[in-house]
Amino acid sequence: MDWQKTLHSWHERISQELDSVVDFWLRHSHDEEYGGFFTCLDQTGKVYDDLKYVWLQGRQVWMYSRLYRKVPRFQRPELLQAAKAGGEFLLRHARVAPPSQKCAFVLTRDGRPVKIQRTIFSECFYVLGLDELGRATGESHYQREALAMMEAIVRWVREDPSELGRPQLAGALPHDSMAVPMMLLNLVDQVSEGDAEVASRFKELDSWSAQRILSHVQRNGAAVLENVSEDGKELPGCLGRQQNPGHAIEAGWFLLRCALRQHNSDLQSQAVDKFMKQPFQSGWDPEHGGLFAFQDVDGLCPTQLEWKMKLWWPHTEAMVAFLMGFAETQDKELLELFHQVANYTFAKFRDPVAGEWFGYLTQEGKMALTIKGGPFKGCFHVPRALYMCEEILKSLVERKFAIQK
Amino acid sequence: MDWQKTLHSWHERISQELDSVVDFWLRHSHDEEYGGFFTCLDQTGKVYDDLKYVWLQGRQVWMYSRLYRKVPRFQRPELLQAAKAGGEFLLRHARVAPPSQKCAFVLTRDGRPVKIQRTIFSECFYVLGLDELGRATGESHYQREALAMMEAIVRWVREDPSELGRPQLAGALPHDSMAVPMMLLNLVDQVSEGDAEVASRFKELDSWSAQRILSHVQRNGAAVLENVSEDGKELPGCLGRQQNPGHAIEAGWFLLRCALRQHNSDLQSQAVDKFMKQPFQSGWDPEHGGLFAFQDVDGLCPTQLEWKMKLWWPHTEAMVAFLMGFAETQDKELLELFHQVANYTFAKFRDPVAGEWFGYLTQEGKMALTIKGGPFKGCFHVPRALYMCEEILKSLVERKFAIQK
């Protein structure tokens, strides 16, 4: 295979696809009346529910702001206006009872709280969206609000979770869910960009989060487990055996960016070997292709009903991870993996008719849900992956890598 | 078809299957050390997690006690002993912080609370199990405890839900989830049996629950919706459009038993027409057979990832509903539906090798999860349906019904 040609052709396909995906959200998701975004969109983009999930509001604010700030062809007023309207909606409505920093999980269209999760994730995407909005608009008050929320999140995770409202129960094993340090690592990456003062403030958190993620490598290095004890030991039962290959691979590129920030080559090879190659080997369905949603490290049957299903986001994250991994290491195996995953993903999830991607396939790759957006799928993983891959491919193509044939 | 012969043959198959299913739980699920039951059992009955889900503990106590009390061949000391050990486990551990009546959702093997749900269902299965255990053992203190818990549940549902711990949120539509009046109707049925005083105490609740369930018939009688407003109106969005055919059909036989208690022939025909025949017509997969797990009344795509999957319990409940409906109405259509559902169910869910049934199939009827028990599947729907069908078939066969050919 002529890899230079292949990279060229992926660059072109991915750029075109990013245009089409962004166009889908621009056409269908804006709430002109209240600000913020409709994310419950059917195959054609029609709104089937007007609830506003705070994760997805924050993520779309981030995505629009990032595209506006970084990609010249998206420096369009309509993106920035919609991002601002989304940011203002979050500022007005996400926090349920200020001065508490706790945010709702889902709001009505006009911003009244419907449900609160006793976790940190609504707040994390609030930070992600507002920090990037501050950068795109140059209005620093958005970043100040993001940083204040970030302090609250760090306090909840590392000092005192009581404001989250989870009861302390005698039988609940204190444990580290990999999602938590992953989110923190992602946020440090976000808020530190180009700001030495903030980067230095969160330097220790950066390392702490990376170390926490590394503690999920278990079984003498042979597996990434989703949940481990606070001191990095394997936990009993389903909780302890749970694996999520897409999540491990996403952690891979989070760690790889951290390794770049920290000039840490050992972390770089752990990111690639333990969080990219290995979860792919064990998580890829040898029969039908695609990454399983969940696995049990002992090969037992997971209890998640969807464990065999193929979800969009593990595949978008694998595209990012393998391409980024290749760009940093020039390891051709990673480029081949990118090609394999990207081919599967474009063939199965893409909707060339109405735009955006389907999210949920059966094990066999048949469409299970026709929705383009819902309570957990919004304007985020697909355009983020396309934007990041476009950027990496551009640089690869320009560098005209001499790849060993 | 010779229906008399068919009923005979189903009676035989179902009796044998009940023996085999009960045997599975007797062999694999007892915790001899702490009392209570392991329910996370793999295909062969091996324990893959030792957490104890309170719903499933209460249900298994009920099932064993009921079989002991009502079916002569199950009047075996090992069933009663295990039921008692399960009941004692619940008494010792289910309530998280007495004197509060609130129960945990899941406990460690030795009874420490792991998680609390902000709903009434753990408590409902606590009532169900302990009331039946009191009947089977003749030890009335179990029933007293059950009735005290029942009073708390009724108070939470009809007067003051604050002890459940759900925050009151401005955007959360107060609504009636059909599961709540269904559970209450089921509990009234349980605690009233053969006790005129208790029956009279809960007579108003019986009617109230039935009326609440009937308020879920919407669209001019054309559909049962899972969630409606407190005053019986359709709700907006996915919440309002949600349907669960198996749940509607289960409500059908709950209502039918209520109609018998109340000698209410109008309620009987609503139970049969609106809650059995109609949900079956719209919920049965014309392509692959089996009942869908979820549907959207407007035919939109549900957001539940498993909506097309075939779960065991809608099928066991449909077997009970159609057979009970036939026994009460002599409507031959119901007998045909029983035969159709029972054939599908025995062909797809049954495991003739290791006993008990599989719980989770793909839309096409392929096994998706190999587990026999898990966080939501225990010793309940399969043996309850087999026990009830056996009882009804026995009576039908003995009556030697003259069915129009």
Side-chain angles (χ1 to χ4, degrees):
Chain A
M1 198 188 303
D2 179 340
W3 281 109
Q4 204 53 246
K5 217 170 169 174
T6 304
L7 289 175
H8 253 297
S9 123
W10 273 118
H11 182 247
E12 220 162 88
R13 280 180 83 177
I14 280 175
S15 295
Q16 280 168 14
E17 189 59 21
L18 180 57
D19 289 343
S20 148
V21 166
V22 172
D23 187 55
F24 179 90
W25 295 100
L26 282 169
R27 275 186 293 130
H28 303 299
S29 71
H30 297 188
D31 181 354
E32 304 293 352
E33 197 172 337
Y34 292 97
F37 306 98
F38 301 117
T39 62
C40 289
L41 303 178
D42 78 4
Q43 179 163 2
T44 63
K46 206 169 152 236
V47 178
Y48 64 82
D49 199 319
D50 63 7
L51 287 174
K52 289 180 176 154
Y53 293 86
V54 171
W55 295 21
L56 305 188
Q57 300 296 315
R59 285 166 163 184
Q60 192 156 355
V61 170
W62 179 84
M63 193 71 241
Y64 277 21
S65 302
R66 176 58 68 96
L67 289 171
Y68 183 88
R69 182 165 72 96
K70 296 274 197 179
V71 187
R73 72 182 188 280
F74 290 117
Q75 206 162 354
R76 287 152 48 185
E78 56 192 305
L79 268 94
L80 196 64
Q81 273 162 26
K84 263 194 91 159
E88 293 295 331
F89 182 86
L90 284 173
L91 286 177
R92 271 199 309 278
H93 302 299
R95 290 166 62 186
V96 178
S100 165
Q101 301 278 356
K102 192 74 196 84
C103 290
F105 172 67
V106 55
L107 303 164
T108 56
R109 183 181 172 191
D110 60 0
R112 287 166 295 133
V114 176
K115 213 175 271 179
I116 304 175
Q117 276 189 334
R118 298 175 285 187
T119 61
I120 61 165
F121 302 109
S122 291
E123 293 77 5
C124 289
F125 293 111
Y126 180 96
V127 172
L128 202 72
L130 291 182
D131 181 83
E132 187 62 33
L133 180 62
R135 292 165 189 271
T137 57
E139 297 178 32
S140 60
H141 70 97
Y142 291 120
Q143 280 163 289
R144 280 199 301 279
E145 174 70 14
L147 285 173
M149 182 64 83
M150 177 98 173
E151 301 287 356
I153 294 168
V154 173
R155 196 172 62 241
W156 294 335
V157 172
R158 299 187 62 179
E159 290 165 34
D160 178 10
S162 56
E163 203 180 2
L164 297 177
R166 279 196 298 261
Q168 300 285 308
L169 295 172
L173 279 174
H175 66 273
D176 188 65
S177 157
M178 198 164 70
V180 171
M182 279 177 69
M183 253 335 314
L184 291 178
L185 200 61
N186 190 219
L187 291 185
V188 171
D189 192 0
Q190 171 69 34
V191 299
S192 304
E193 187 197 327
D195 188 329
E197 190 276 312
V198 173
S200 130
R201 184 164 17 141
F202 289 116
K203 196 165 190 279
E204 188 272 339
L205 182 64
D206 203 23
S207 301
W208 182 86
S209 304
Q211 283 311 310
R212 276 277 168 136
I213 297 174
L214 291 177
S215 77
H216 289 258
V217 180
Q218 295 285 328
R219 306 275 172 120
N220 292 317
V224 175
L225 304 180
E226 277 291 301
N227 305 290
V228 296
S229 73
E230 299 261 325
D231 59 344
K233 302 277 189 304
E234 190 171 331
L235 295 166
C238 291
L239 186 74
R241 294 192 307 269
Q242 187 183 316
Q243 296 187 288
N244 181 325
H247 213 212
I249 294 171
E250 185 181 26
W253 71 257
F254 285 15
L255 286 173
L256 189 52
R257 286 189 57 93
C258 178
L260 291 169
R261 280 194 297 283
Q262 301 186 347
H263 310 288
N264 183 337
S265 63
D266 182 52
L267 183 56
Q268 170 172 310
S269 45
Q270 287 193 280
V272 169
D273 294 342
K274 302 301 180 193
F275 287 85
M276 295 183 187
K277 290 183 178 179
Q278 208 165 258
F280 181 83
Q281 288 310 325
S282 53
W284 187 258
D285 181 352
E287 199 182 345
H288 301 283
L291 290 160
F292 289 115
F294 289 101
Q295 293 184 295
D296 176 294
V297 69
D298 286 337
L300 306 182
C301 176
T303 59
Q304 289 86 359
L305 272 56
E306 73 274 27
W307 79 271
K308 281 186 184 174
M309 287 175 71
K310 310 294 163 60
L311 276 48
W312 83 106
W313 67 264
H315 300 84
T316 59
E317 299 319 291
M319 284 174 57
V320 172
F322 293 138
L323 198 58
M324 190 187 292
F326 170 69
E328 298 306 325
T329 63
Q330 288 84 59
D331 174 350
K332 202 181 137 206
E333 188 190 340
L334 293 168
L335 188 54
E336 281 162 357
L337 290 172
F338 166 76
H339 190 64
Q340 177 181 348
V341 171
N343 271 328
Y344 175 89
T345 304
F346 268 66
K348 299 287 184 179
F349 289 101
R350 191 171 161 258
D351 179 4
V353 178
E356 241 300 313
W357 292 9
F358 299 109
Y360 306 91
L361 311 178
T362 66
Q363 180 183 10
E364 294 79 12
K366 225 180 84 180
M367 202 189 306
L369 276 71
T370 55
I371 56 175
K372 294 289 174 54
F376 294 96
K377 183 174 187 290
C379 176
F380 190 59
H381 286 98
V382 178
R384 181 177 72 169
L386 295 170
Y387 146 70
M388 291 182 73
C389 288
E390 177 182 311
E391 195 179 52
I392 300 168
L393 285 162
K394 185 164 172 277
S395 124
L396 285 175
V397 166
E398 282 167 1
R399 281 190 290 178
K400 287 211 195 303
F401 256 112
I403 301 157
Q404 282 96 37
K405 299 258 167 89
Chain B
M1 197 187 303
D2 180 340
W3 281 109
Q4 204 52 246
K5 218 170 171 175
T6 304
L7 289 175
H8 252 294
S9 126
W10 273 118
H11 181 246
E12 220 161 88
R13 280 180 83 177
I14 279 175
S15 295
Q16 281 169 13
E17 189 60 21
L18 180 59
D19 289 343
S20 150
V21 166
V22 172
D23 187 55
F24 178 91
W25 295 100
L26 282 169
R27 277 186 292 130
H28 302 298
S29 71
H30 297 189
D31 181 355
E32 303 294 353
E33 196 173 338
Y34 292 97
F37 306 98
F38 300 117
T39 61
C40 290
L41 303 177
D42 78 3
Q43 179 163 3
T44 65
K46 205 171 151 232
V47 178
Y48 63 83
D49 199 320
D50 63 6
L51 287 175
K52 289 180 176 154
Y53 293 86
V54 171
W55 293 23
L56 305 187
Q57 301 296 314
R59 285 167 164 184
Q60 191 156 356
V61 170
W62 179 85
M63 193 72 240
Y64 277 22
S65 303
R66 175 60 68 96
L67 288 172
Y68 183 89
R69 182 164 72 96
K70 295 275 197 178
V71 186
R73 74 182 187 282
F74 290 117
Q75 206 161 356
R76 287 152 50 183
E78 57 193 306
L79 268 93
L80 197 63
Q81 272 162 26
K84 261 195 93 157
E88 292 295 331
F89 182 86
L90 284 174
L91 287 177
R92 270 198 310 279
H93 301 298
R95 290 166 62 184
V96 179
S100 165
Q101 301 279 355
K102 192 73 196 84
C103 290
F105 172 67
V106 54
L107 302 164
T108 57
R109 181 181 173 190
D110 61 359
R112 288 166 296 133
V114 176
K115 212 174 273 180
I116 305 174
Q117 277 189 334
R118 298 176 285 188
T119 60
I120 61 165
F121 303 109
S122 291
E123 293 78 5
C124 288
F125 294 111
Y126 180 98
V127 171
L128 201 72
L130 291 180
D131 182 84
E132 186 63 32
L133 180 62
R135 294 165 189 271
T137 57
E139 297 178 32
S140 60
H141 70 97
Y142 292 119
Q143 280 162 289
R144 279 199 302 277
E145 175 69 14
L147 285 173
M149 182 63 83
M150 177 96 174
E151 301 287 355
I153 295 169
V154 174
R155 195 172 63 243
W156 295 334
V157 172
R158 299 187 62 179
E159 289 165 37
D160 178 8
S162 56
E163 203 178 3
L164 297 177
R166 279 197 298 261
Q168 301 286 307
L169 296 172
L173 279 174
H175 67 272
D176 188 64
S177 157
M178 197 164 71
V180 172
M182 280 176 68
M183 257 327 320
L184 292 177
L185 199 62
N186 189 218
L187 292 184
V188 171
D189 191 1
Q190 172 68 34
V191 299
S192 304
E193 186 196 328
D195 188 328
E197 190 275 312
V198 172
S200 127
R201 184 167 12 144
F202 290 115
K203 194 163 193 279
E204 189 271 340
L205 182 63
D206 202 24
S207 301
W208 182 87
S209 304
Q211 283 312 312
R212 275 276 168 139
I213 297 174
L214 291 177
S215 77
H216 289 258
V217 179
Q218 294 286 327
R219 307 274 173 122
N220 292 317
V224 176
L225 304 181
E226 277 292 299
N227 304 290
V228 295
S229 72
E230 300 262 324
D231 59 344
K233 301 280 188 301
E234 191 173 332
L235 295 166
C238 291
L239 186 76
R241 294 192 307 268
Q242 187 183 316
Q243 296 187 287
N244 181 326
H247 212 211
I249 293 171
E250 185 181 27
W253 73 256
F254 286 14
L255 287 173
L256 189 53
R257 287 189 57 92
C258 178
L260 291 169
R261 281 194 296 284
Q262 300 186 347
H263 310 288
N264 183 338
S265 63
D266 182 53
L267 183 57
Q268 169 172 312
S269 42
Q270 287 194 279
V272 170
D273 294 341
K274 302 300 179 191
F275 287 84
M276 296 182 187
K277 291 183 179 179
Q278 209 165 257
F280 182 84
Q281 289 310 325
S282 53
W284 187 258
D285 181 353
E287 199 182 346
H288 300 283
L291 290 160
F292 289 114
F294 289 101
Q295 293 184 296
D296 176 294
V297 69
D298 285 337
L300 306 183
C301 177
T303 59
Q304 289 87 359
L305 272 56
E306 74 273 27
W307 78 270
K308 281 186 184 175
M309 287 175 72
K310 309 294 163 62
L311 275 49
W312 83 107
W313 68 264
H315 300 84
T316 60
E317 300 319 292
M319 284 175 57
V320 173
F322 293 137
L323 197 59
M324 191 188 290
F326 171 69
E328 297 307 326
T329 63
Q330 289 84 58
D331 175 350
K332 202 182 138 206
E333 186 189 341
L334 292 168
L335 188 54
E336 282 161 355
L337 290 173
F338 166 77
H339 190 64
Q340 177 180 349
V341 171
N343 272 328
Y344 175 90
T345 304
F346 268 66
K348 300 287 184 178
F349 289 102
R350 191 172 161 258
D351 178 6
V353 179
E356 240 299 313
W357 291 8
F358 298 108
Y360 306 91
L361 311 178
T362 66
Q363 180 183 10
E364 294 79 12
K366 224 179 84 178
M367 203 188 309
L369 276 71
T370 56
I371 57 175
K372 292 289 176 52
F376 294 96
K377 182 174 187 291
C379 177
F380 190 59
H381 286 99
V382 178
R384 180 176 74 169
L386 295 170
Y387 146 69
M388 292 181 72
C389 287
E390 177 182 312
E391 195 179 52
I392 300 168
L393 285 162
K394 184 164 172 279
S395 124
L396 285 175
V397 167
E398 282 168 1
R399 282 191 287 178
K400 289 209 197 302
F401 255 111
I403 300 159
Q404 284 93 39
K405 299 255 167 91

